[in-house]
Amino acid sequence: MNLTLRVWRQKNSQDAGKIAEYPAHDISPDMSFLEMLDVVNEELTRKGEDPIEFDSDCREGICGTCSLVINGVPHGAQYESGTAACQLHMRKFKDGEVITIEPWRAKAFPIIKDLVCDRSSFDRIIQAGGFVSVSTGGAPDANALPVGKPRAERAMDAAACIGCGACVAACKNASAMLFVSAKISHLASLPQGRVEARERALSMVAQMDKEGFGNCSNQSECEAVCPKEISVDFIAQLNREYLKTAL
Ligand code: SF4
Ligand code: FES
């Protein structure tokens, strides 16, 4: 396949940035999107040009670092839903296609370079309450703390969030509600997490606001691009946890 890439290039957080065009020749349809970028970067390096900076780690949909907006949609979800950009294959694109690649755009995710943004605001939200600090002692016998199957399943569904930030990038308000609701619902669904559920909801939402994320307006763009298909139902649970405490 031969493609044309239009890539956001930005030297540092102060630079204005601009779109630059690069050809991508002889791309195998079996390559992943990131492998295609590797090929383009090898060519740029051979020519003595600055390679395109992008984040990646696991390359199998686990770490959440591959933060790419592909033709206007985070993770290229219009080509394949429920996958991270690293799991998107080039066979989903047409030969000769023009592909525009941009970073997450949100005030709370400042751009570091090219397609790499600083998502430490998510870490600070987790530090504000996304943990269990009660002493649970040694590992109890599994039967001593029974958790019903529906509740266990719900906790696992919420725990699937990989903290990628695509939900923020897709939202017109740059809201982090889907991410925060997944973390709060995961812990609030389990007996160990119930103890601090109320303080957790208040402190994580306060930190989310402090970081500059916007509010949810119930349009579900977040759910549509989430690589782990986290449901907006969790936002309803977050609102319930928050209101119970606030009232
Ligand atoms: S809710 Fe989905 S889109 Fe948002 S951070 Fe978690 S995995 Fe990424
Ligand atoms: S590189 Fe880890 S989820 Fe994409």
Side-chain angles (χ1 to χ4, degrees):
M1 301 172 79
N2 292 312
L3 307 152
T4 302
L5 305 187
R6 297 177 71 246
V7 185
W8 183 258
R9 301 302 309 260
Q10 183 173 335
K11 289 194 178 72
N12 51 51
S13 57
Q14 310 308 319
D15 183 30
K18 61 176 189 316
I19 293 276
E21 210 167 281
Y22 302 100
H25 293 308
D26 299 326
I27 301 299
S28 161
D30 297 326
M31 282 180 184
S32 72
F33 198 83
L34 301 191
E35 285 167 341
M36 180 275 292
L37 284 177
D38 290 340
V39 170
V40 174
N41 271 347
E42 276 169 22
E43 182 61 24
L44 288 174
T45 309
R46 257 195 301 274
K47 290 197 288 192
E49 292 181 35
D50 199 15
I52 302 158
E53 295 281 344
F54 62 93
D55 260 334
S56 77
D57 190 356
C58 70
R59 297 199 173 201
E60 52 184 335
I62 298 171
C63 71
T65 59
C66 51
S67 47
L68 303 178
V69 175
I70 301 167
N71 281 342
V73 181
H75 290 305
Q78 73 275 47
Y79 293 96
E80 187 166 10
S81 61
T83 58
C86 58
Q87 299 169 293
L88 182 62
H89 284 87
M90 297 315 296
R91 56 180 166 267
K92 299 283 174 184
F93 296 84
K94 292 192 194 74
D95 188 26
E97 194 165 341
V98 177
I99 306 172
T100 303
I101 312 169
E102 295 169 90
W104 288 173
R105 294 195 189 278
K107 202 164 68 183
F109 290 159
I111 293 172
I112 297 171
K113 189 176 179 191
D114 297 340
L115 305 170
V116 179
C117 63
D118 177 359
R119 281 169 287 181
S120 55
S121 47
F122 267 15
D123 297 334
R124 289 187 290 276
I125 293 174
I126 295 293
Q127 282 164 5
F131 50 81
V132 172
S133 61
V134 288
S135 171
T136 53
D141 185 273
N143 295 331
L145 201 62
V147 178
K149 187 162 170 55
R151 188 164 275 274
E153 293 285 349
R154 187 165 173 81
M156 285 302 286
D157 286 349
C161 167
I162 54 175
C164 63
C167 44
V168 174
C171 177
K172 64 181 180 182
N173 304 327
S175 169
M177 289 283 274
L178 195 63
F179 164 74
V180 175
S181 71
K183 301 303 171 194
I184 283 177
S185 302
H186 163 212
L187 295 174
S189 300
L190 297 171
Q192 298 91 332
R194 279 285 354 141
V195 182
E196 294 165 299
R198 294 190 168 184
E199 300 148 36
R200 180 181 304 115
L202 280 189
S203 54
M204 289 180 79
V205 168
Q207 189 65 34
M208 175 180 81
D209 291 342
K210 194 169 152 198
E211 297 291 345
F213 292 104
N215 288 319
C216 174
S217 47
N218 292 316
Q219 290 179 330
S220 305
E221 295 102 329
C222 50
E223 182 183 296
V225 302
C226 174
K228 297 298 162 189
E229 301 180 318
I230 302 290
S231 166
V232 289
D233 285 357
F234 289 117
I235 297 183
Q237 184 170 355
L238 161 62
N239 287 335
R240 284 197 298 275
E241 294 291 339
Y242 186 84
L243 277 175
K244 269 191 284 186
T245 314
L247 291 174

